[in-house]
Amino acid sequence: MSTTITTLPTPATTILKLRPSEQNKTEEESYRYAHLLPHFAQDHYPPLTPFEHVDPGHRALSHPNPRSFLDNATVVQLTPNLGSEVHGVNLATLSDDGRDQLALEVARRGLVVFRDQHEFIDRGPEFYKAWGRHFGRRLSFPEDANSTFNFEVDESITTTMWHSDVSYELQPPGLTTFFLLSQPETGGDTLFTSQVSTLRKLSPQFVAFLRTLKAVHSGVEQANFSRSGKRGGIVRREPVENVHPVVRKHPVTGEEALYVNRQFTRRIVGLKREESETLLKFLYDHIDKSGDNQARVKWQPGTVVLWDNRITAHSAIIDYKDSRERRHGARITPQAERPVGDLIV
């Protein structure tokens, strides 16, 4: 049996639908921070060269009150050993002395979270570059701020990946500034862990052994991931490998910290493969499981987070994938000194 439906002619309203690519383009053009979206030009940068780093935190040590930039602020500790949350400081208007004191505070607390920093965020790329230069030599900073393509990482049962940024460089980052320009309604938090506290949990005899060791940190896998067509498919600088002490010392506070991470550390120098793998697995598991050394930052509009990559590791939490919401962030990552420990060979 067939059914025939007769439709009488009626005045029609034509609705034009954009193609997906056109719709995305329109959305990007109306996005307030579209000028800071990542831009994957075929630019290639030369190898980084060594330089002498002077940590601004040193200058703050000679100040009569090294925390005077917090005099009118409200400061709440996130945990006893890691992290502070600050209200009442405008980072955009900090003097050079204030920035020096900020570097010292981040070195001491490992992580400092500033709320209500819309003026800082809206200052734009030239301000970001000038801000970063105060704390060290900047890594090449594209005109479009950094954004991560975390949805491309699907081969693991967890998206948690503790790391210190680009630890494979000869002179990895020190004080790092990060903020979100757009964020999901819920989720997308960032975890931080104190590598100072992680080390302190270990026995003195074991720490003494770790002080004698060095490890290879490599950027090769990260570059190959990009060469496979992911994260924009661009490798701007040829990857490097460098050897760093397993226990490094902070140049300002003198505190020791564990300096290995699952993302970039590949092997312990001088140990046989099985020995190296066993030791690194123990240290990675220790970092993963030490909830008492960790802090979790829940992002709010206007939040700026600073941490010291030399003593604090972090991991994004990609729990918002199904919402397909944008999480667009900018990272200001100046380089610092070459990691050193008690034993320099």
Side-chain angles (χ1 to χ4, degrees):
M1 177 179 178
S2 62
T3 301
T4 303
I5 299 177
T6 304
T7 303
L8 297 176
T10 58
T13 300
T14 302
I15 300 176
L16 298 177
K17 293 186 177 181
L18 295 174
R19 299 189 190 94
S21 59
E22 294 174 339
Q23 184 174 352
N24 290 341
K25 183 177 180 181
T26 301
E27 289 174 356
E28 301 299 0
E29 289 173 348
S30 63
Y31 174 44
R32 180 178 180 181
Y33 297 106
H35 62 293
L36 295 177
L37 287 168
H39 174 62
F40 296 104
Q42 298 290 332
D43 297 333
H44 293 281
Y45 305 145
L48 294 173
T49 56
F51 72 103
E52 182 180 357
H53 174 70
V54 178
D55 196 289
H58 278 296
R59 296 191 291 267
L61 289 173
S62 61
H63 195 281
N65 178 9
R67 302 184 78 234
S68 62
F69 83 107
L70 296 172
D71 281 350
N72 299 313
T74 300
V75 182
V76 178
Q77 290 190 353
L78 297 177
T79 76
N81 299 313
L82 174 67
S84 300
E85 182 168 317
V86 178
H87 295 260
V89 170
N90 185 353
L91 292 176
T93 60
L94 271 188
S95 65
D96 286 349
D97 281 348
R99 295 181 186 189
D100 291 347
Q101 294 173 31
L102 173 64
L104 179 59
E105 186 71 12
V106 176
R108 287 173 168 172
R109 292 297 298 161
L111 163 72
V112 183
V113 180
F114 291 87
R115 303 294 187 182
D116 307 313
Q117 300 298 315
H118 300 280
E119 183 179 352
F120 181 98
I121 292 172
D122 287 339
R123 286 289 183 95
E126 293 306 315
F127 173 79
Y128 303 160
K129 293 175 186 178
W131 173 268
R133 280 194 294 269
H134 186 87
F135 303 104
R137 186 179 74 176
R138 69 180 180 91
L139 291 167
S140 294
F141 192 101
E143 290 300 319
D144 301 296
N146 198 11
S147 179
T148 57
F149 291 78
N150 292 309
F151 295 155
E152 296 178 347
V153 182
D154 260 340
E155 68 275 9
S156 174
I157 61 173
T158 179
T159 59
T160 304
M161 178 64 75
W162 292 106
H163 63 284
S164 177
D165 288 328
V166 296
S167 63
Y168 48 77
E169 296 290 356
L170 182 67
Q171 294 180 246
L175 186 144
T176 297
T177 306
F178 183 75
F179 48 91
L180 292 184
L181 300 156
S182 180
Q183 62 193 74
E185 183 177 350
T186 183
D189 299 349
T190 303
L191 289 172
F192 294 88
T193 192
S194 168
Q195 296 289 62
V196 174
S197 297
T198 300
L199 185 69
R200 287 176 179 168
K201 294 285 186 180
L202 302 173
S203 67
Q205 294 90 338
F206 191 61
V207 172
F209 170 58
L210 294 180
R211 289 194 189 107
T212 69
L213 302 177
K214 293 187 176 185
V216 175
H217 295 244
S218 176
V220 173
E221 289 187 11
Q222 184 183 62
N224 289 342
F225 185 76
S226 294
R227 284 194 174 105
S228 71
K230 299 179 180 179
R231 297 180 79 90
I234 301 296
V235 176
R236 291 194 170 98
R237 182 181 289 112
E238 287 305 306
V240 296
E241 292 186 343
N242 278 291
V243 175
H244 298 313
V246 170
V247 176
R248 71 177 295 179
K249 180 171 287 189
H250 195 283
V252 178
T253 66
E255 288 188 307
E256 290 183 312
L258 186 64
Y259 197 63
V260 297
N261 67 86
R262 195 185 296 272
Q263 187 163 6
F264 299 125
T265 309
R266 292 294 167 259
R267 63 187 181 278
I268 303 294
V269 176
L271 297 188
K272 294 186 177 180
R273 178 172 54 83
E274 294 87 351
E275 296 168 339
S276 174
E277 290 174 353
T278 299
L279 179 56
L280 287 175
K281 183 180 184 304
F282 168 78
L283 294 175
Y284 298 155
D285 287 348
H286 176 43
I287 295 168
D288 292 345
K289 296 174 182 177
S290 295
D292 49 348
N293 299 328
Q294 298 171 12
R296 181 170 180 146
V297 173
K298 186 172 182 62
W299 293 96
Q300 301 170 4
T303 298
V304 173
V305 172
L306 296 98
W307 72 92
D308 195 318
N309 256 298
R310 295 167 289 197
I311 58 173
T312 304
H314 63 283
S315 175
I317 302 175
I318 316 303
D319 54 358
Y320 58 95
K321 178 177 178 179
D322 291 342
S323 75
R324 307 304 298 180
E325 293 175 275
R326 172 187 280 136
R327 185 182 186 271
H328 175 204
R331 188 187 317 251
I332 306 170
T333 313
Q335 290 178 270
E337 75 286 346
R338 183 176 184 176
V340 296
D342 280 339
L343 297 179
I344 304 177
V345 179

